[in-house]
Amino acid sequence: QVQLVESGGGLVQAGGSLRLSCAASKGTFSTYAMAWFRQAPGMEREFVAGISWSGGITYYADSVKGRFTISRDNAKNTVYLQMNSLKREDTAVYYCAATSGSYSGSPLGYDYWGQGTRVTVSS
């Protein structure tokens, strides 16, 4: 089974940048579509960005378009989320997710999840 481990979270001032990484267990990583979700206190888990198995198609929530970039390196079994111009409202626990099926903006569409990495943006 696929195991996902996120890293790269931390404390950053508003306007700063962070790059999150999600390392997957080796196997059939390249056949999975990947996504990042986030969950803030008292909020539902929400879609942030997604990427197709080939990396050729990406999707972003309106709230992060132009600021965040998702990418993947299938040779390293890793997906990244580059976060620039961070805002206070970006504070959340960020989760990496994988699906063997089609892209979905709903967390219900994903088969595997990481444990999450916390991002805190100070104002």
Side-chain angles (χ1 to χ4, degrees), residues 20 33-37 47-52 55 57-60 67-72 79-83 96-97:
L20 306 184
M34 305 292 295
W36 288 95
F37 289 79
F47 170 79
V48 176
I51 188 166
S52 63
I57 304 173
T58 57
Y59 308 85
Y60 296 95
R67 300 189 298 119
F68 290 11
T69 303
I70 188 171
S71 62
R72 67 189 297 163
V79 63
Y80 305 95
L81 184 68
Q82 178 67 47
M83 306 185 296
C96 178

Coordinates of all heavy atoms in Angstrom, one line a residue, residues 20 33-37 47-52 55 57-60 67-72 79-83 96-97:
L20 N 6.5 22.6 0.7 CA 6.1 21.3 1.3 C 6.5 20.2 0.4 O 6.4 20.3 -0.8 CB 4.6 21.3 1.6 CG 4.0 22.4 2.4 CD1 2.5 22.1 2.7 CD2 4.7 22.6 3.7
A33 N -2.7 10.0 -9.2 CA -2.9 11.5 -9.1 C -2.7 11.9 -7.7 O -3.1 11.2 -6.8 CB -4.3 11.8 -9.6
M34 N -2.2 13.1 -7.5 CA -1.8 13.5 -6.2 C -2.5 14.9 -5.9 O -2.8 15.6 -6.8 CB -0.3 13.7 -6.0 CG 0.5 12.4 -6.3 SD 0.2 11.1 -5.1 CE 0.9 11.9 -3.6
A35 N -2.7 15.2 -4.6 CA -3.3 16.4 -4.3 C -2.8 16.9 -2.9 O -2.4 16.1 -2.1 CB -4.8 16.3 -4.3
W36 N -3.0 18.1 -2.6 CA -2.8 18.7 -1.3 C -4.1 19.3 -0.8 O -4.8 19.9 -1.6 CB -1.8 19.9 -1.3 CG -0.4 19.4 -1.5 CD1 0.3 19.3 -2.7 CD2 0.6 19.0 -0.5 NE1 1.6 18.9 -2.5 CE2 1.8 18.7 -1.1 CE3 0.5 18.9 0.9 CZ2 2.9 18.3 -0.4 CZ3 1.6 18.4 1.6 CH2 2.8 18.1 0.9
F37 N -4.4 18.9 0.4 CA -5.6 19.5 1.1 C -5.1 20.2 2.4 O -3.9 20.0 2.8 CB -6.6 18.4 1.5 CG -7.3 17.8 0.4 CD1 -6.7 16.9 -0.5 CD2 -8.6 18.2 0.1 CE1 -7.4 16.3 -1.5 CE2 -9.3 17.6 -1.0 CZ -8.7 16.7 -1.8
F47 N -9.7 21.3 -0.5 CA -8.8 21.1 -1.5 C -7.9 22.3 -1.8 O -8.4 23.5 -1.7 CB -9.6 20.8 -2.8 CG -8.7 20.8 -4.1 CD1 -7.9 19.7 -4.4 CD2 -8.7 21.9 -4.9 CE1 -7.2 19.7 -5.5 CE2 -7.9 21.9 -6.1 CZ -7.2 20.8 -6.4
V48 N -6.6 22.1 -2.0 CA -5.7 23.2 -2.3 C -5.2 23.1 -3.7 O -5.2 24.1 -4.4 CB -4.5 23.2 -1.3 CG1 -3.5 24.2 -1.6 CG2 -5.0 23.4 0.2
A49 N -4.6 22.0 -4.1 CA -4.0 21.8 -5.4 C -4.0 20.3 -5.7 O -3.8 19.5 -4.9 CB -2.6 22.4 -5.4
G50 N -4.0 20.0 -7.0 CA -4.0 18.7 -7.5 C -3.1 18.6 -8.7 O -2.9 19.6 -9.4
I51 N -2.6 17.4 -9.0 CA -1.7 17.2 -10.1 C -2.0 15.8 -10.7 O -2.1 14.8 -9.9 CB -0.3 17.4 -9.8 CG1 0.6 17.4 -11.0 CG2 0.2 16.4 -8.7 CD1 2.0 17.9 -10.7
S52 N -2.0 15.7 -12.0 CA -2.2 14.4 -12.6 C -1.0 13.5 -12.5 O 0.1 13.9 -12.1 CB -2.6 14.6 -14.1 OG -1.5 15.2 -14.8
G55 N 1.9 14.8 -14.3 CA 2.3 16.1 -14.0 C 1.9 17.2 -15.0 O 2.2 18.4 -14.8
I57 N -1.2 18.1 -15.9 CA -2.4 18.8 -15.6 C -2.4 19.2 -14.1 O -2.2 18.3 -13.3 CB -3.6 18.0 -15.9 CG1 -3.6 17.6 -17.4 CG2 -4.9 18.8 -15.6 CD1 -4.7 16.6 -17.8
T58 N -2.6 20.4 -13.8 CA -2.7 20.8 -12.4 C -4.0 21.6 -12.1 O -4.6 22.1 -13.0 CB -1.5 21.7 -12.0 OG1 -1.5 22.9 -12.9 CG2 -0.2 21.0 -12.2
Y59 N -4.4 21.6 -10.9 CA -5.6 22.3 -10.5 C -5.3 23.0 -9.2 O -4.6 22.5 -8.3 CB -6.7 21.2 -10.2 CG -7.0 20.3 -11.3 CD1 -6.2 19.1 -11.5 CD2 -8.0 20.5 -12.3 CE1 -6.5 18.2 -12.5 CE2 -8.2 19.7 -13.3 CZ -7.5 18.5 -13.4 OH -7.7 17.6 -14.5
Y60 N -6.0 24.2 -9.0 CA -5.8 25.0 -7.8 C -7.1 25.5 -7.3 O -8.0 25.9 -8.1 CB -4.8 26.1 -8.1 CG -3.4 25.7 -8.5 CD1 -3.1 25.6 -9.9 CD2 -2.5 25.4 -7.5 CE1 -1.8 25.2 -10.2 CE2 -1.2 25.1 -7.9 CZ -0.9 24.9 -9.2 OH 0.4 24.6 -9.6
R67 N -0.3 32.0 -6.3 CA 0.6 32.0 -5.2 C 1.3 30.6 -4.9 O 2.4 30.5 -4.5 CB -0.1 32.4 -3.9 CG -0.7 33.8 -4.0 CD -1.2 34.3 -2.7 NE -2.3 33.4 -2.2 CZ -2.3 32.7 -1.0 NH1 -1.2 32.8 -0.3 NH2 -3.3 32.0 -0.7
F68 N 0.5 29.5 -5.1 CA 1.0 28.2 -4.9 C 1.2 27.4 -6.2 O 0.6 27.7 -7.2 CB 0.0 27.4 -4.1 CG -0.2 27.8 -2.7 CD1 0.3 29.0 -2.2 CD2 -1.0 27.0 -1.8 CE1 0.1 29.4 -0.9 CE2 -1.2 27.4 -0.5 CZ -0.6 28.6 0.0
T69 N 2.2 26.6 -6.2 CA 2.5 25.7 -7.3 C 2.7 24.3 -6.9 O 3.5 24.0 -6.0 CB 3.8 26.2 -8.1 OG1 3.6 27.6 -8.5 CG2 4.0 25.4 -9.3
I70 N 2.0 23.4 -7.5 CA 2.2 22.0 -7.2 C 3.0 21.3 -8.3 O 2.8 21.7 -9.5 CB 0.8 21.2 -7.1 CG1 1.0 19.8 -6.6 CG2 0.0 21.3 -8.4 CD1 -0.3 19.1 -6.2
S71 N 3.9 20.4 -8.0 CA 4.7 19.7 -9.0 C 5.0 18.4 -8.4 O 4.8 18.1 -7.3 CB 6.0 20.5 -9.2 OG 6.8 20.7 -8.1
R72 N 5.5 17.5 -9.3 CA 5.9 16.2 -8.9 C 7.1 15.7 -9.6 O 7.4 16.1 -10.7 CB 4.7 15.2 -9.1 CG 4.4 14.9 -10.5 CD 3.1 14.1 -10.6 NE 3.2 12.8 -10.0 CZ 2.2 12.0 -9.6 NH1 0.9 12.5 -9.8 NH2 2.4 10.8 -9.1
V79 N 5.9 14.6 -4.3 CA 5.1 15.7 -4.8 C 5.4 16.9 -3.9 O 5.7 16.8 -2.7 CB 3.6 15.4 -4.9 CG1 3.1 15.1 -3.5 CG2 2.8 16.5 -5.5
Y80 N 5.4 18.1 -4.5 CA 5.8 19.3 -3.8 C 4.6 20.4 -3.9 O 3.8 20.3 -4.8 CB 7.0 20.0 -4.4 CG 8.2 19.1 -4.5 CD1 8.5 18.4 -5.7 CD2 9.0 18.9 -3.4 CE1 9.6 17.5 -5.8 CE2 10.1 18.1 -3.5 CZ 10.4 17.4 -4.7 OH 11.5 16.5 -4.7
L81 N 4.6 21.2 -2.9 CA 3.7 22.4 -3.0 C 4.6 23.6 -2.6 O 5.0 23.8 -1.4 CB 2.6 22.2 -2.0 CG 1.5 23.4 -2.0 CD1 0.8 23.4 -3.4 CD2 0.6 23.2 -0.9
Q82 N 4.9 24.4 -3.6 CA 5.6 25.7 -3.3 C 4.6 26.7 -3.0 O 3.7 27.0 -3.8 CB 6.4 26.1 -4.6 CG 7.1 27.4 -4.4 CD 8.2 27.3 -3.4 OE1 9.0 26.4 -3.4 NE2 8.3 28.3 -2.5
M83 N 4.7 27.3 -1.8 CA 3.8 28.3 -1.4 C 4.5 29.7 -1.2 O 5.4 29.8 -0.4 CB 3.2 27.9 0.0 CG 2.5 26.5 0.0 SD 1.7 26.1 1.5 CE 3.2 26.0 2.6
C96 N -1.1 15.6 2.3 CA -0.9 15.0 1.0 C -1.8 13.8 0.8 O -2.1 13.1 1.7 CB 0.6 14.6 0.9 SG 1.0 13.8 -0.7
A97 N -2.4 13.7 -0.4 CA -3.3 12.6 -0.7 C -3.0 12.0 -2.1 O -2.6 12.7 -3.0 CB -4.8 13.1 -0.6

